[in-house]
């Protein structure tokens, strides 16, 4: 049995062509939306990985700094406390001895 397209009306052919065009557009839009969802998911995953790595680095640096500071606070310097040692060094650098307020040398302010 042979199918003769000349027996089909023009309106029917236009209708079938419109449905085929709509099917092609639908497949294109569905493919594009799926690709967009995949790209957004991959981007979000990459962002989460990068953010967690940076957050881990910051927490690691803060933890290491806290350990360093606590270790430095427990260190005993020869000849007295750390505050006296720092005050002596500051006085030597300035070229004169100055009364001390503990750790920091006292600064005298004068009107010019």
């Amino acid at each position: 049995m042979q199918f003769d397209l000349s027996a089909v009306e023009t309106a029917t052919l236009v209708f079938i062509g419109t449905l085929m065009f709509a099917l092609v557009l639908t497949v294109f839009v569905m493919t594009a939306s799926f690709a967009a969802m995949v790209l957004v998911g991959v981007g979000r995953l990459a962002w989460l990985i990068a953010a967690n790595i940076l957050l881990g680095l910051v927490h690691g640096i803060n933890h290491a700094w806290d350990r360093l500071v606590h270790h430095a606070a427990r260190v005993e310097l020869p000849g007295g406390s750390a505050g006296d040692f720092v005050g002596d060094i500051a006085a030597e650098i300035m070229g004169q001895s100055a009364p001390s307020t503990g750790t920091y040398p006292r600064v005298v302010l004068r009107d010019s």
Side-chain angles (χ1 to χ4, degrees):
M1 176 174 161
Q2 290 189 356
F3 186 71
D4 185 17
L5 282 179
S6 63
V8 181
E9 290 187 22
T10 307
T12 306
L13 291 176
V14 170
F15 180 72
I16 292 172
T18 304
L19 287 179
M20 290 299 181
F21 187 70
L23 180 66
V24 168
L25 282 179
T26 303
V27 169
F28 175 76
V29 169
M30 286 174 56
T31 305
S33 63
F34 182 72
M37 288 191 316
V38 168
L39 287 175
V40 167
V42 168
R44 172 119 172 112
L45 179 65
W47 171 252
L48 285 175
I49 289 172
N52 284 331
I53 288 173
L54 289 175
L55 194 63
L57 277 171
V58 169
H59 284 303
I61 291 170
N62 284 342
H63 179 69
W65 182 254
D66 283 343
R67 286 189 59 183
L68 180 69
V69 168
H70 289 322
H71 177 71
R74 288 191 303 261
V75 171
E76 188 67 33
L77 294 174
S81 68
D84 295 337
F85 185 68
V86 170
D88 293 343
I89 290 176
E92 287 178 18
I93 290 173
M94 296 182 70
Q96 61 186 10
S97 62
S100 175
T101 58
T103 307
Y104 302 103
R106 186 174 293 159
V107 177
V108 178
L109 299 175
R110 288 187 244 163
D111 292 331
S112 300

